[in-house]
Amino acid sequence: MKLSRYEQETIVSYNAGEQTATIYTRDKAVMRKLDTLVANFPDTYKLVKQDEVSKTYSFPKSFVSYRKPRAVSMEQREQARKKIGLINSKKSYMYVQKMTIK
């Protein structure tokens, strides 16, 4: 079943009286991430319910977090850009070397 972008919702719910949070989602990307967590950490993340378009997961409420936006200066941004450029150039050099050796 094809859902519109609007219908691909994700709802996180928890309350002060319980130690667990639940996530109901119809978004395939969120499902993939949570399915990976369920597979890697079965004692922590649980798949509670699923149907043809949605899944519901349960996990400790303490894993829900709120973060402030990251502030990156122009200098930090430029340093990161140069570092990534260097990494990418090394990867392409290694790829060319590998291809010429064969």
Side-chain angles (χ1 to χ4, degrees):
M1 179 178 197
K2 182 94 169 143
L3 299 174
S4 70
R5 302 281 295 161
Y6 182 79
E7 292 172 317
Q8 295 176 30
E9 65 184 357
T10 299
I11 301 168
V12 180
S13 61
Y14 58 91
N15 61 53
E18 296 179 4
Q19 296 302 310
T20 59
T22 58
I23 291 184
Y24 167 85
T25 187
R26 294 174 132 196
D27 185 336
K28 297 236 184 253
V30 175
M31 285 183 207
R32 281 191 301 274
K33 289 177 185 178
L34 288 167
D35 285 342
T36 301
L37 290 170
V38 168
N40 293 338
F41 305 100
D43 294 337
T44 306
Y45 291 89
K46 308 243 184 273
L47 175 62
V48 177
K49 182 178 165 185
Q50 76 179 50
D51 59 32
E52 57 200 33
V53 294
S54 68
K55 291 185 179 181
T56 303
Y57 301 88
S58 174
F59 59 93
K61 177 172 66 174
S62 61
F63 285 28
V64 176
S65 69
Y66 306 95
R67 293 178 264 179
K68 63 182 180 179
R70 184 174 164 203
V72 180
S73 70
M74 291 307 285
E75 182 180 324
Q76 290 170 319
R77 191 178 302 263
E78 183 63 24
Q79 287 174 348
R81 188 188 67 73
K82 286 178 181 176
K83 190 182 286 187
I84 292 297
L86 183 62
I87 290 169
N88 287 337
S89 67
K90 284 182 180 179
K91 283 182 183 177
S92 62
Y93 176 77
M94 300 269 295
Y95 178 75
V96 169
Q97 290 296 333
K98 207 185 266 188
M99 295 306 286
T100 56
I101 291 174
K102 289 185 177 180

